C-alpha cells in the first residue's frame, strides 16, 4: 500500500483540496491564479507568496500556519480513558495507565452525512461517516471493509467491498439493500468509522 504523509506544504495542500472535492484548476480559479498554478505548489517545486497562502487557507478552511508549518491552533484531541476487553469496560487509570490524548489527523479526515438506510444499522440515517481523504488505487487491499468506492463512470458509493466472480471487478454490497455486482472500481477511500449527530455541537447542527 502506498505510504501517505503530510510532511510538506504540497502534501497538506493536496489533502485539503481533495477533502473539498476541488480540482487543481478549480482551486486555482478560486484564488485568482492560472489553472496550472496549483500543480507546482503540490509538488513542492516552490512556495506561493504569503497572500496566495492566505487565500488558499481561507478557501480550504484552514490557517496559513497549518499550510506552511503543519501546525494548527485548532487541533482536535480526544481522550482515551479506557479499554473494552471481552466486552467489559476497563478504566485506564485503574490499570496504572494515564489517560492518553490522541490527535485527529489534520486534513486527512472528512465527514459525509448519511441520508438513506442502505448501510443501516452500521450507518443509520442521520449519522456521519468518517472517511479518509486519501484514495488508494489498490482496491484489493480493502476487501471486506466499508469504503467509498469510485467507479469508472465517476459515481461514488458507500458500500462493503467484496470479491466478484470476475477477478478484474468487485462487488459493492449495501448492508440493507441491493448489491452492485462486477463493478469497475477506479479508487477507494477507507471509511474509518461512524459518528452520531449527538457527538457534535455548534453552528451547522440541526
Amino acid at each position: 500500500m502506498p505510504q501517505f504523509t503530510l510532511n510538506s506544504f504540497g502534501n497538506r495542500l493536496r489533502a485539503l483540496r481533495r477533502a473539498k472535492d476541488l480540482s487543481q484548476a478549480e482551486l486555482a480559479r478560486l484564488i485568482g491564479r492560472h489553472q496550472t498554478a496549483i500543480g507546482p505548489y503540490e509538488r513542492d517545486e516552490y512556495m506561493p507568496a504569503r497572500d496566495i497562502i492566505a487565500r488558499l487557507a481561507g478557501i480550504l478552511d484552514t490557517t496559513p500556519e497549518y499550510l506552511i508549518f503543519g501546525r494548527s491552533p485548532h487541533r482536535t484531541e480526544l481522550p482515551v480513558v479506557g479499554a473494552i476487553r471481552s466486552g467489559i469496560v476497563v478504566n485506564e487509570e485503574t490499570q496504572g495507565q494515564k489517560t492518553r490524548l490522541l490527535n485527529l489527523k489534520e486534513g486527512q479526515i472528512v465527514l459525509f452525512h448519511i441520508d438513506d438506510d442502505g448501510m443501516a444499522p452500521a450507518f443509520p440515517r442521520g449519522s456521519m461517516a468518517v472517511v479518509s481523504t486519501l484514495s488508494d488505487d489498490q482496491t484489493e487491499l480493502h476487501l471486506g471493509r466499508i469504503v467509498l468506492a469510485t467507479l469508472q463512470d465517476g459515481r461514488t458509493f458507500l458500500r462493503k467491498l467484496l470479491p466478484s466472480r470476475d477477478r478484474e471487478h468487485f462487488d459493492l454490497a449495501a448492508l440493507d439493500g441491493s448489491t452492485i455486482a462486477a463493478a469497475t472500481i477506479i479508487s477507494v477511500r477507507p471509511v474509518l468509522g461512524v459518528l452520531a449527530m449527538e457527538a457534535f455541537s455548534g453552528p451547522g447542527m440541526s
Side-chain angles (χ1 to χ4, degrees):
M1 179 180 292
Q3 296 298 308
F4 301 102
T5 61
L6 290 183
N7 59 359
S8 73
F9 175 89
N11 286 337
R12 289 187 287 272
L13 177 61
R14 182 184 302 111
L16 289 168
R17 173 180 63 78
R18 289 178 173 174
K20 287 285 189 181
D21 200 25
L22 292 171
S23 68
Q24 290 183 344
E26 288 169 334
L27 180 57
R29 178 179 56 80
L30 289 171
I31 64 169
R33 306 290 288 179
H34 188 271
Q35 63 179 2
T36 61
I38 302 301
Y41 300 161
E42 293 188 351
R43 292 191 296 271
D44 290 308
E45 293 177 5
Y46 58 87
M47 287 278 286
R50 285 290 184 133
D51 64 319
I52 299 299
I53 294 176
R55 290 184 217 167
L56 288 167
I59 290 166
L60 298 174
D61 293 329
T62 188
T63 62
E65 181 186 32
Y66 175 71
L67 281 173
I68 298 170
F69 302 109
R71 298 192 303 266
S72 172
H74 307 297
R75 180 178 295 276
T76 300
E77 295 179 325
L78 294 176
V80 181
V81 298
I84 298 175
R85 300 172 189 152
S86 300
I88 301 173
V89 173
V90 180
N91 186 287
E92 293 277 276
E93 294 187 358
T94 63
Q95 300 296 304
Q97 301 179 39
K98 294 183 178 179
T99 296
R100 293 171 291 150
L101 290 175
L102 295 183
N103 292 319
L104 292 180
K105 292 184 175 179
E106 293 282 352
Q108 293 187 31
I109 296 174
V110 292
L111 301 175
F112 285 86
H113 183 254
I114 305 298
D115 202 24
D116 66 30
D117 298 314
M119 294 299 287
F123 294 84
R125 184 190 296 265
S127 63
M128 292 280 185
V130 183
V131 181
S132 172
T133 63
L134 304 176
S135 61
D136 190 354
D137 58 5
Q138 298 187 59
T139 304
E140 65 278 2
L141 297 179
H142 300 273
L143 282 170
R145 297 186 61 182
I146 305 293
V147 298
L148 282 190
T150 299
L151 307 190
Q152 192 173 40
D153 63 11
R155 293 179 298 165
T156 299
F157 291 90
L158 174 68
R159 291 290 188 271
K160 186 173 185 179
L161 183 68
L162 299 173
S164 182
R165 291 182 179 180
D166 181 351
R167 292 187 178 181
E168 298 298 317
H169 299 84
F170 299 88
D171 290 349
L172 295 171
L175 301 183
D176 188 24
S178 60
T179 295
I180 301 172
T184 301
I185 297 176
I186 301 303
S187 65
V188 296
R189 291 164 61 181
V191 175
L192 308 176
V194 61
L195 290 171
M197 294 302 290
E198 288 81 1
F200 304 94
S201 65
M205 306 315 301
S206 58

